[in-house]
């Protein structure tokens, strides 16, 4: 079926066996290290990671909905809600992204 090539995956800390990242994309994305946040890189550099693809053959909408569900279920570490290093609530790019005051200032200056 066309358009059903997305997956939902977990990155798991091999020492604690806890999920620290929830992602979506094509199957290969689950194994890529590029394009990750510094928060993710710090976690991986310290502990390594295990990839667990938990859903396959999804449409982008199905994958987005599941990503939102799992991020809410596990909770974001930056919000003090759980174990995840995700910086958004999932589903659509930067939904729920928290910016530091310094980042906001830089963005403001860049836009002038």
């Amino acid at each position: 079926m066309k358009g059903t090539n997305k997956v939902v995956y977990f990155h798991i800390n091999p020492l604690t066996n806890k999920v620290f990242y929830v992602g979506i994309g094509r199957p290969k994305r689950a194994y890529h290290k590029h394009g990750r946040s510094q928060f993710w890189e710090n976690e991986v550099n310290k502990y390594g990671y295990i990839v667990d693809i938990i859903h396959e053959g999804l449409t982008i909408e199905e994958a987005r909905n599941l990503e939102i569900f799992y991020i809410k279920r596990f909770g974001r570490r930056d919000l003090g809600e759980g174990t995840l290093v995700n910086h958004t609530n999932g589903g659509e790019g930067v939904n729920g992204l928290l910016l530091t005051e310094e980042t906001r200032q830089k963005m403001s200056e860049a836009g002038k």
Side-chain angles (χ1 to χ4, degrees):
M1 179 183 275
K2 185 179 179 179
T4 57
N5 62 344
K6 302 297 184 260
V7 300
V8 176
Y9 60 91
F10 294 163
H11 287 165
I12 301 168
N13 179 316
L15 299 178
T16 65
N17 208 34
K18 291 185 179 182
V19 176
F20 71 89
Y21 184 81
V22 175
I24 63 173
R26 293 188 176 155
K28 289 182 181 181
R29 175 64 179 146
Y31 300 93
H32 289 179
K33 290 185 176 183
H34 70 277
R36 305 291 183 178
S37 73
Q38 188 63 51
F39 205 10
W40 184 92
E41 288 180 14
N42 292 344
E43 182 84 7
V44 169
N45 288 341
K46 190 170 184 180
Y47 303 109
Y49 70 110
I50 298 167
V51 174
D52 186 8
I53 296 177
I54 59 166
H55 297 282
E56 299 179 86
L58 303 173
T59 65
I60 189 62
E61 286 305 316
E62 291 169 330
R64 287 175 177 162
N65 289 335
L66 285 166
E67 182 184 38
I68 292 167
F69 169 80
Y70 286 117
I71 289 174
K72 185 172 184 162
R73 178 177 172 210
F74 290 112
R76 288 170 45 190
R77 202 181 302 171
D78 65 341
L79 300 177
E81 297 174 345
T83 61
L84 301 179
V85 299
N86 292 71
H87 286 292
T88 71
N89 295 329
E92 191 73 80
V94 295
N95 181 24
L97 178 65
L98 295 179
L99 300 176
T100 65
E101 186 57 40
E102 179 184 359
T103 300
R104 290 175 201 229
Q105 186 65 34
K106 287 179 181 178
M107 289 172 69
S108 175
E109 290 171 14
K112 291 179 183 175

